[in-house]
Amino acid sequence: MPVSRMIRLWSIAALFASAFALGGCSTQIADMPGLGLPAGAPERPKEAGGYLPVHDLPPDRNEEAMKPAELAKIQAELTAARDRQAAAATPPKPAKK
């Protein structure tokens, strides 16, 4: 392997190694006084926030979500719309002679 190619491979490896090393320190660099936060930024909380309550369910409803008459009306409207679209999508048959 030529020397110039070996030097190029080592310099690429050093570049990647330094990128990984600096990437691991990015949170500490962001907290440094002169580098990280802009002048008007609010203070960071001392304690990280907790997890969102994903397992808490909302309380049960007092009334039905939809009355049966409304449900039947909406289903009839959707069926009629589907039938209209199906009729419009089928091409007209040519007349036989």
Side-chain angles (χ1 to χ4, degrees), residues 51-72:
Y51 292 107
L52 295 175
V54 294
H55 296 298
D56 291 347
L57 298 176
D60 290 335
R61 296 180 180 201
N62 294 333
E63 58 187 49
E64 295 180 37
M66 190 178 293
K67 301 205 182 324
E70 292 177 37
L71 182 62

Side-chain angles (χ1 to χ4, degrees), residues 40-53:
E43 290 276 333
R44 289 189 183 174
K46 299 291 181 198
E47 196 171 299
Y51 292 107
L52 295 175

